[in-house]
Amino acid sequence: MRNIAPTPPSSARRLRWLLALPKLGIVLLLTAILSLLWLLHRNEMEEERAALIKDVLWLEQSLRFHLNSNEEQLQQLAADLTGQAGAKKLFRLRAGHQLKNNPEISQLLWFDAQGSVIDALPTTTLPDQEIAAFGPPVAAKAFELASRLGKRYYSEPFFLEGNRAVVELMNPIFDEGQLKGMLVVVYPLDALLGNLVPWWFTEKYKVEIIDDNDIQYATKTNIDSKGSQSYEIPFDPPGFGMKLRISNYQNADNSLQRGLTLAIFALAAGVFWSLWIVRDLMKKRSQAEEALSAEHAFRTAMEDSLTVGMRARDLNGKVIYVNPAFCKITGFSREEIVGTSPPMPYWVPEQIEETFAQHQRVMAGNAPPDGFEITFMRKNGERFDALVYEAKLIDGKGQHTGWMASILDVTERNRAEEFARMQHEQLQFTSRLVTMGEMASTLAHELNQPLAAIASYNTGCLNLLDRPACDVREIRPALEKIGVQAQRAGKIIRRVHDFVRKSEPKRAPCALGEVIEDCLGFVEPDARKRRIRIECTIPGLPPIPADRLMLEQVLLNLIRNGMEAMAATPEADRVLHIATETTDSELRISVSDQGCGIAPEIRDKLFTAFFTTKPEGMGVGLSICRSIIEFHRGRLWAEDNTHSPTGSGTIFAFTLPLEAA
Amino acid sequence: MSAPQAHLVDDDDAIRDALAWLLKSRGLPCATYASAECFLAAWSPAMSGCVVLDMRMSGMSGLDCFDQLRERGSILPVIFLTGHGDVPLAVGTLKKGAFDFFEKPLNDNELATRIAEAMELDTRQRAENATVDSVNSRLSSLTTRERQIMELVLAGKFNKVIADELNISMRTVEVHRANLFDKMQIKTAVELANLLKPGR
């Protein structure tokens, strides 16, 4: 299990920055867009307002003009109605004409000075009669004021049935300073708006007539919706605190703009959302990257901590990867190996053909599944035994891209095994010695007893014989006992013979060739270390009855002696030669070295037990060897190597009979 | 005290018999034991003479037997018989106080001679021990005043000086001195000094 580091690595911090930047940008962009929109909106409002004011002024003006022209026509009519004979006819004509031309006028009345209706169009019904219930009739007040002022006068607005607000225009008719009557025009305010406000105006604006108390007298609108802005202007005439209120509608442009704003918000939200998702993705990705790098570090650490050398090669045999352990084992650096093709720098020059053949086998996919042992060379020239396992290198796509090998330095192990073997051999040797030693000691002790008894009896007898009064009969039992003890000693000696017979070699048919080969396998590492070549010619040898273990011991001893004798010999001449000869009756095996030879004064003691020239020798090797060979009814001897190029050297030779006796 | 004898301890019948024969031929009395255990069972402080111990025996070894004897406070001289290879061991026993050791096969009369010497040594030692014991018992019968006077006599002082030092009359010193000499069974101060020399 691995822990992801608790502190966020710099990449995560950078990522956070990277993620924050677009957010900041978007916020700024939004602010800019919104302020632009707001500015536009304000400009638009101002423009709208300006347009509104202009339109309002125009409307007010056109209303005033219209009312003024109506006033003038009325005044003209009033003037024409005085002193005319066909006044009634004229009124009908002119009033009808005026009504036709001015649809905003609902009624034109002609009163006499007393306020009675002379004539009226379209009906003679008084409009204010219907609202007599509403306090003092406004019309009457206006009538009175107009007559008193002697000029036209608008009444206050008042409501009729059906909540219709109405304004009346009083126009007194004077004739030579005498009030002759009154012309009254009834303007329903909604009709006024309805007829005098053009259609395009109502498309844009809502037009209302209100007073200070916000009482609505009339309105002309198609749609009742809240305007964004409005403008009020006094409506005079008729006056009396009446105002025109113009409100503009939310036009389509406005909604488009709002839509645009909304869209911008929506887009911003979308961008934020996508950023969020991207952030998540990036987070996940960075986590994955972190995990990957941690994994990679973990794997690298694992590879680097291996004591097994790892080497990867591509299909052409070029090295593409080695781990530190491999470098450590071979002593070459990574750069010296990666990229090289066979022959490799760590191949042993004198075994290049075998190594290359092995390499070809691996490349052909015929590497032994349980590995193979091969000798490689370190950079310093030191040889080492490597145990190599080869396996296919499969990449992520499942393609076979090369070969992965694990290389184990088994020199130590082999050395240890060999050491253990030698130890074992030495132990066997020693145990035999110990056995012999113990036997000798036991034998000595056992023989001591009867001998001591014999000596004591004997001394006693002699003492008695020395006495002057010596009775020979006294001596007899002692002499008999001496005889018994002597027999006892004889029995002990026989037991020793039996023991020796038991430990005689166990002869079984054995192939001497195999024995020699085993020994060579045994001493090979030692020979390599000492830079000694071992030449060996073994023709097919008949099997001989022998104790294989004992023969091996003899051979090993002779080979080792030979190798040790060549310690001071020049390297080129360090050759140990093992040869065999067969005659009718016996085999002759010789081990020749080109070493220092044997000094003549030592020659005679060579096979003596406990004689040695080695500082740690026990001096039993050669004597035991000779005993073993003599057990086999053969002979062992040493002679000078007269053929040696160094001029000195020894040949140890032994014979073995071919037939079991 | 039993009569001095050579006590032969060996698990080999022939050796015991042969040694007994040899000692008899020299007129030395001996007793034989087939094992260390048997010998230890028969041992008592009154046993005198010497012990001849075989080093290697089945059962208790000669060395263990030797240690046992020393533990029990035996003063019997011990002669070891060894086989070959036990010589270093035997030398160790000499350091521990063994009388001697002999390697088998035995050297005719040498062993018998050493056995005789060992027995003589034992006899001598016992006599000395007896003397020491008697001197100790005589000393323990002295009174405090007699002991004081003995010290001063041994220091070579005259009666007069002794009387001055102990603040007693010359006469009294003479009486005490006579009693002291009686109890120690001596006649002169020189004899007293000789008697107490080894113990001091």
Side-chain angles (χ1 to χ4, degrees), chain A residues 317-333:
Chain A
K318 196 174 84 181
V319 176
I320 51 178
Y321 164 84
V322 289
N323 75 336
F326 185 89
C327 300
K328 202 170 146 195
I329 292 170
T330 58
F332 288 96
S333 71

Side-chain angles (χ1 to χ4, degrees), chain A residues 440-442 444-445 448-461 463-464 467 474-475 477-478 481 485 488, chain B residues 10-15 17-19 21-22 24-27 54 56 82-84 86 104-109 111-112:
Chain A
S441 154
T442 309
H445 183 77
N448 258 341
Q449 302 290 75
L451 288 177
I454 288 170
S456 295
Y457 282 129
N458 178 50
T459 310
C461 288
N463 288 344
L464 288 180
R467 287 185 187 176
E474 274 181 58
I475 299 174
K481 286 173 182 169
Q485 290 307 309
R488 179 180 163 193
Chain B
D10 197 317
D11 58 347
D12 191 305
D13 301 347
I15 298 265
D17 192 64
L19 275 179
W21 169 261
L22 169 64
K24 210 172 85 181
S25 75
R26 291 276 301 256
D54 187 28
R56 278 203 219 187
T82 72
H84 91 289
D86 292 336
K104 293 178 192 171
L106 307 163
N107 193 347
D108 35 49
N109 273 324
L111 173 65

Side-chain angles (χ1 to χ4, degrees), chain B residues 4-44:
Chain B
Q5 279 183 310
H7 303 274
L8 304 177
V9 187
D10 197 317
D11 58 347
D12 191 305
D13 301 347
I15 298 265
R16 279 201 312 276
D17 192 64
L19 275 179
W21 169 261
L22 169 64
L23 293 179
K24 210 172 85 181
S25 75
R26 291 276 301 256
L28 292 167
C30 71
T32 59
Y33 307 87
S35 71
E37 289 88 345
C38 289
F39 169 68
L40 285 173
W43 181 86
S44 76

Side-chain angles (χ1 to χ4, degrees), chain A residues 285-587:
Chain A
R285 196 182 137 175
S286 86
Q287 270 173 3
E289 273 176 6
E290 262 168 44
L292 188 70
S293 73
E295 183 76 15
H296 181 75
F298 178 69
R299 284 189 182 283
T300 310
M302 260 178 71
E303 275 170 25
D304 293 359
S305 68
L306 279 179
T307 52
V308 178
M310 303 293 292
R311 177 198 59 199
R313 294 190 290 200
D314 63 12
L315 288 169
N316 305 321
K318 196 174 84 181
V319 176
I320 51 178
Y321 164 84
V322 289
N323 75 336
F326 185 89
C327 300
K328 202 170 146 195
I329 292 170
T330 58
F332 288 96
S333 71
R334 187 180 294 237
E335 293 73 27
E336 285 170 305
I337 296 177
V338 172
T340 54
S341 295
M344 297 295 177
Y346 46 82
W347 284 7
V348 179
E350 62 265 26
Q351 296 178 10
I352 214 113
E353 291 88 1
E354 299 97 302
T355 314
F356 204 84
Q358 184 67 49
H359 170 76
Q360 299 290 20
R361 271 198 292 281
V362 170
M363 288 289 137
N366 299 329
D370 45 0
F372 55 90
E373 271 202 40
I374 193 162
T375 306
F376 283 151
M377 185 176 71
R378 295 191 224 278
K379 196 177 179 179
N380 59 10
E382 194 186 333
R383 309 289 199 271
F384 68 96
D385 302 338
L387 179 61
V388 183
Y389 291 94
E390 291 274 1
K392 282 183 178 179
L393 190 61
I394 309 291
D395 70 0
K397 302 187 192 77
Q399 296 287 315
H400 172 211
T401 56
W403 300 93
M404 176 57 99
S406 68
I407 288 100
L408 258 170
D409 184 349
V410 289
T411 316
E412 274 312 309
R413 196 184 72 184
N414 291 356
R415 205 172 289 159
E417 276 176 11
E418 194 216 342
F419 182 72
R421 261 203 306 261
M422 277 173 62
Q423 284 285 84
H424 180 70
E425 193 194 336
Q426 199 69 42
L427 201 68
Q428 268 194 330
F429 208 77
T430 314
S431 74
R432 281 191 188 202
L433 279 181
V434 168
T435 311
M436 283 180 181
E438 278 193 345
M439 198 191 75
S441 154
T442 309
L443 186 66
H445 183 77
E446 294 238 324
L447 278 173
N448 258 341
Q449 302 290 75
L451 288 177
I454 288 170
S456 295
Y457 282 129
N458 178 50
T459 310
C461 288
L462 289 173
N463 288 344
L464 288 180
L465 285 173
D466 284 344
R467 287 185 187 176
C470 167
D471 186 355
V472 182
R473 275 170 305 179
E474 274 181 58
I475 299 174
R476 188 176 178 87
L479 290 177
E480 281 168 359
K481 286 173 182 169
I482 287 177
V484 171
Q485 290 307 309
Q487 275 172 7
R488 179 180 163 193
K491 275 183 195 155
I492 292 168
I493 301 290
R494 262 197 301 286
R495 281 225 313 272
V496 175
H497 274 304
D498 287 346
F499 177 84
V500 170
R501 211 171 302 126
K502 268 185 211 150
S503 58
E504 271 195 1
K506 292 163 188 62
R507 292 200 183 89
C510 76
L512 200 64
E514 282 178 24
V515 174
I516 295 174
E517 266 175 31
D518 275 1
C519 291
L520 288 183
F522 225 59
V523 297
E524 200 185 3
D526 195 25
R528 218 180 304 148
K529 205 162 59 192
R530 295 172 186 269
R531 299 258 194 282
I532 291 173
R533 278 206 314 287
I534 300 182
E535 292 174 353
C536 181
T537 45
I538 314 170
L541 298 172
I544 48 164
D547 184 323
R548 182 171 177 152
L549 262 177
M550 285 185 163
L551 282 190
E552 270 183 20
Q553 282 201 358
V554 172
L555 263 169
L556 281 175
N557 217 317
L558 298 184
I559 291 171
R560 288 222 178 91
N561 280 348
M563 293 203 300
E564 279 164 23
M566 291 193 284
T569 310
E571 225 173 285
D573 293 324
R574 289 186 198 167
V575 179
L576 191 83
H577 192 78
I578 300 172
T580 56
E581 280 175 41
T582 320
T583 64
D584 294 344
S585 59
E586 58 182 22
L587 272 176

